[in-house]
Amino acid sequence: MKFILRVLLFLAIPTIYAQNTLKGQLTDSQTSEPIGYVNVYLPQLEKGTYTDENGFFELKNMPSGNYKILYSSIGYETQSQTISIPVETALSIKLIPTAIEMEAVIISTPFHKLQSENVMKVEHETVADLQRNGSATLAQGITSIPGVESITTGASIGKPVIRGLSSNRVLVYTQGVRLENQQFGSEHGLGISDTGIESVEVIKGPASLLYGSDALGGVLYLNPEKFAQQNTATGDVNGTYFSNTQGYKAGAGYKSSGEKFKMLFRGSLTEHADYNTENYRVTNTRFREQDFKAGLGYQSTQFKTEFRYNVNNSKLGIPEEIGVQNTEKAPLLPYQEITNHVFSSKSTVFFDNSSLEINLGYIYNDRREFEDEHHHHEGEEHEHEHEHEDDHDDHADEDHDEEESHDEHNEEDLHPALQMKLKTFNYDVKYHLPTLGKFETIVGAQGMHQTNTNYGEEVLIPNATVNDFGVLATSHIHFDKVDVQLGARYDNRKISVENGIDRDFNSFNGAIGFKTDITKNITARLNLATGFRAPNLAELTSDGVHHGSNRYEIGNSELDNEQNFQTDLALEYKSEHLELFVNGFYNVVNDYIYLSPNGTVIDGTAAYDYVQNDAKLYGGEIGFHLHPHPLDWLHFESSFETVTGKQNNGLYLPLIPANSINNTIRVEYDTNWFQQGYAFVKLQSTFKQSNVGYFETPTDGYNLLSAGLGGTIQVFKNDLTISVSGNNLTDKSYINHLSRLKNDGIFNIGRNFIIGLNYSI
C-alpha cells in the first residue's frame, strides 16, 4: 500500500519532459511505391495513427524509452520493430506484400507481442469476424475458436468451456479486470454483451502465473473497443435482425480523440422471443438485454490513463418445459434479472527505460431470480413433457394465455425469491523493468476483495468475504534461435463465511515456455505450466436444492485446492499460401472437485455431495488454411478438435464437449462499388459423445450447414456495411452435449437468418 501511495504522490508532482515527435514513411518493398492508410500502432502506449496517401505518418508527444511499433495493412505482412525514442531521423519502412492475413497484438500475455513472437499460443479473433460468420451472441461466437465451446441454457445464457474445463476453472477478463458474476452456476452466463468489444483472446491452459486462482483451465480475455486514432472522430449506428427469434439488436456509438484527451461511448438494446425448432418454440428462452459502455482517456508525454464503465442489464427467461407458443419477448416466470456494473481504470507511468502499470477494477453484480410456485401445474407438466407433436402447438397458446398475462401484468408486485449482490474490488500492479541484455522482466502484485450478500427469501450460497493476494515475476529471454518465457508466483486466498467457516488457501505456481523456428516456415512452442483453483463458495457451503440443475447439493467445507500441471505442444507451418497447425495437450488435475450422488433423497430431490478425485484431460486441435496461388481470394479452412476427460477411478468427467470438425470455404473480393466483400459456406460436423459423466447420457452426432455474405458500399459518402448469414440452413433437429436443456430432450435452435447493417458517420 505504501508503494501505491508513493506512486500516486509521484503522479501529483508536475514534471517537465521533452516533447518527442516520431515521423516516418512506409513503402512497398517490391515497387518502392508509398503505401497509404497503413495502421501505425505502439501497443505499450496504446497510441497510433494512419499513413497519408503518400505513406507518411507523424505522432507527437511521445515519451522517451524503448517501445515496440507495429505496421499493418491488408495485403502486406504485419511488421514490428523496437525503437528508441527520441529518434533522430525519420523512419523508412518497407512492407512485404503477402496474402497472409494481418497479425494482431496479443494483450492477454504481459509482453504485448505479435502472436508470431509470442511464446504462449494464444487464439485471437475479432468480434467483427465472429459476427460476419453468423454468431448471434458472444457466447456462440467463441465456439468457432478451436478448443473452445460453451455450456448453454437456450440462446441467452452461455459460459465458456476451454478444453473441457468451465465455470470457476475459466477466468474471464473484461476492460482489463477480472469479471466476477457468480460464475459457479451452470445457468449463470457471462453478463457481457459483444457490443463495444473489439476482439477476443483465449489462453488454452493454466494461466495462474499471470492471473492467480480460477485460471486453472484458461482465460477468456475480452479486449474493449479502442479509442479513435489521434485527432479523429468517428460514429456509427447499427442494427441486426434474427429471423428465428424475430429478435433484433440496435446500437450506436461515437468516439473522439485529440492530442491528449479521448472519449467514447456505445449503447445497445437486444430483444428475442423464444427460439424455434422444427416442431416447436422452446418456451421462456426469450430475453432482453440493455448494454452501455463509456470510456475517457488522457495521455501526456510520460503518463497515460483511461477509465471505462459498463452497465449491462439482462432479463432472461429460464426454460422448464415446452408450453406457451408465441413470439412475445417479455420473459415468463421463472426468470433472472441481472445487473452488472464494471468500473475500471488503467494507468501507466513511463520512465526512461521502464514503466509502471496500475489497473483497478470494481464489479457490482446484482442477481435476482423470480419464481412463483402457484404457476406450476403438474398435470400440464406431464401433458407437455417433450412429446413435441405438431398438434400441441395449436392449443398450447390457449392453455397458457392466462398464465402469461398474469406474469406480465403483476411483474411490479413480484419480489425476488433469490437476490445476491456480489461486490468485487481488484487491483493489478506491474512494473516493467528496464531491458537488460536479452531479458525483458516484469514483477507485480495482484489482489481482490469480494463480498457476497443475500437479500432474498432463498439463500443459495451464504454471506461471505473473499480476499486474494498474489505476487509474481516473469521474464522473456531472447536467445539467437530460441525465445524462453518463465516465471513464478505465490498466492493466498482467505474465505470467511457468515456461518463460521474460515478457510485459508495457499499455492506456488510456475511456468516455462520455449519458442523456436525449426525452419523458416515451421515454428514450435512447448509450454509447461501449473495452475490452481481454490474451492468456490457453492462447493464449500451448499445445503439446498439448486433449481437450475434440480439437485440437492451438499457442500464440503474440507475441500482442498485443485492443482494441475499441463504440457502443451504447438507446431505451426506458415507459407504465403498455406498455414497448418497441430496443438496437443496433457493436463493432470489433482483433487478435481465434482458432484457425486450419495444415494439419498432430500425434499423429494436426489442429493449430491461435493467430493474430490484426481483427474486428467488430454487432446488437442489440428487444422489448415489454404489460399492457393494465384486465387488469393479463395480460402479453404478446416479444423478438428478433441478432448477426453477422465477421473483416476476410470469414470469420465462431465460436460466434456464432443469431438468436432469445421470446414469452411470463403471468398474475398473488392470492386469499385462493393468493398471488402466476402462470402462463405461452412459445415460443422459434431460427433456422438459416448464418453459421459456418471449422471450424463450420450448425445448423438449431427451436421450443421451455414452460409453468408457481406461487404461495404458507399451511401452519402459514408460506409454502409451489410452482412447476411444463415445458420442451421437445413433446420436440423439436434441437441448439443453441453446444452443444459439436454436432459429434458429439448432441441437446440433451428434455422436462423441474420441480417446486419452498420452505417459509419
Side-chain angles (χ1 to χ4, degrees), residues 280 322 386 388 734-735 741-748:
Y280 54 86
I322 303 302
H386 323 311
H388 313 326
Y734 73 99
I735 297 177
L741 306 181
K742 170 180 177 288
N743 291 338
D744 295 320
I746 296 176
F747 293 129
N748 284 74

Side-chain angles (χ1 to χ4, degrees), residues 92-371:
S92 179
I93 309 300
K94 296 183 180 297
L95 295 187
I96 302 172
T98 182
I100 297 175
E101 296 177 355
M102 291 189 299
E103 282 192 85
V105 178
I106 302 300
I107 304 299
S108 55
T109 54
F111 296 100
H112 294 185
K113 297 181 179 297
L114 294 174
Q115 180 55 59
S116 60
E117 304 167 330
N118 215 29
V119 173
M120 295 180 67
K121 174 65 175 177
V122 179
E123 302 287 351
H124 179 280
E125 291 286 346
T126 67
V127 169
D129 283 343
L130 298 180
Q131 292 171 341
R132 278 194 290 266
N133 289 329
S135 67
T137 63
L138 180 62
Q140 179 188 350
I142 62 175
T143 63
S144 65
I145 299 173
V148 182
E149 290 293 337
S150 183
I151 298 173
T152 62
T153 304
S156 61
I157 298 174
K159 53 197 311 98
V161 180
I162 299 178
R163 288 178 168 173
L165 296 177
S166 58
S167 297
N168 282 86
R169 297 180 180 97
V170 172
L171 187 60
V172 178
Y173 256 62
T174 182
Q175 297 178 192
V177 299
R178 61 183 292 159
L179 178 65
E180 292 290 322
N181 63 350
Q182 306 285 14
Q183 59 264 39
F184 66 87
S186 60
E187 76 287 4
H188 297 179
L190 287 173
I192 295 289
S193 169
D194 59 7
T195 296
I197 295 178
E198 184 160 299
S199 62
V200 175
E201 294 176 14
V202 178
I203 300 175
K204 295 184 289 189
S208 290
L209 168 66
L210 303 178
Y211 298 104
S213 180
D214 303 344
L216 176 143
V219 175
L220 174 65
Y221 199 98
L222 307 176
N223 291 313
E225 177 181 7
K226 290 188 179 75
F227 289 98
Q229 296 280 33
Q230 186 172 298
N231 296 320
T232 65
T234 62
D236 65 87
V237 293
N238 55 78
T240 308
Y241 174 75
F242 306 87
S243 69
N244 184 284
T245 59
Q246 298 186 22
Y248 70 90
K249 178 180 179 180
Y254 176 79
K255 53 186 177 181
S256 174
S257 294
E259 291 286 346
K260 294 186 177 182
F261 287 97
K262 46 192 175 182
M263 55 83 70
L264 62 78
F265 65 84
R266 184 168 297 279
S268 68
L269 172 65
T270 304
E271 285 192 315
H272 289 268
D274 297 336
Y275 76 75
N276 204 11
T277 68
E278 184 181 10
N279 296 323
Y280 54 86
R281 289 192 177 274
V282 180
T283 307
N284 211 24
T285 53
R286 59 193 71 179
F287 66 98
R288 186 175 194 266
E289 180 182 59
Q290 298 167 281
D291 189 86
F292 177 76
K293 293 182 174 74
L296 180 65
Y298 171 80
Q299 185 161 3
S300 64
T301 304
Q302 298 296 129
F303 174 68
K304 73 179 180 70
T305 186
E306 67 179 55
F307 172 81
R308 292 182 186 258
Y309 169 65
N310 174 213
V311 57
N312 182 280
N313 177 264
S314 301
K315 188 176 290 187
L316 312 169
I318 303 299
E320 293 184 319
E321 61 176 4
I322 303 302
V324 59
Q325 298 287 294
N326 63 33
T327 55
E328 296 295 325
K329 295 182 174 64
L332 306 172
L333 292 171
Y335 68 85
Q336 302 176 359
E337 184 170 6
I338 303 163
T339 303
N340 208 43
H341 300 269
V342 180
F343 302 84
S344 66
S345 72
K346 182 178 179 181
S347 302
T348 305
V349 184
F350 299 100
F351 307 106
D352 282 345
N353 292 300
S354 62
S355 62
L356 178 69
E357 293 182 20
I358 304 174
N359 295 343
L360 305 175
Y362 179 74
I363 298 92
Y364 173 32
N365 179 264
D366 184 0
R367 174 178 295 277
R368 298 190 295 169
E369 298 185 4
F370 296 85
E371 58 188 47

Side-chain angles (χ1 to χ4, degrees), residues 12 51 96 129 221 250 383 448 461 483 504 549-550 593 687 699 752 758:
T51 59
I96 302 172
D129 283 343
Y221 199 98
E383 178 183 353
M448 178 179 77
I461 59 174
D483 281 281
D504 206 333
S549 51
N550 197 30
I593 301 171
F687 297 94
T699 309
N752 189 22
N758 186 299

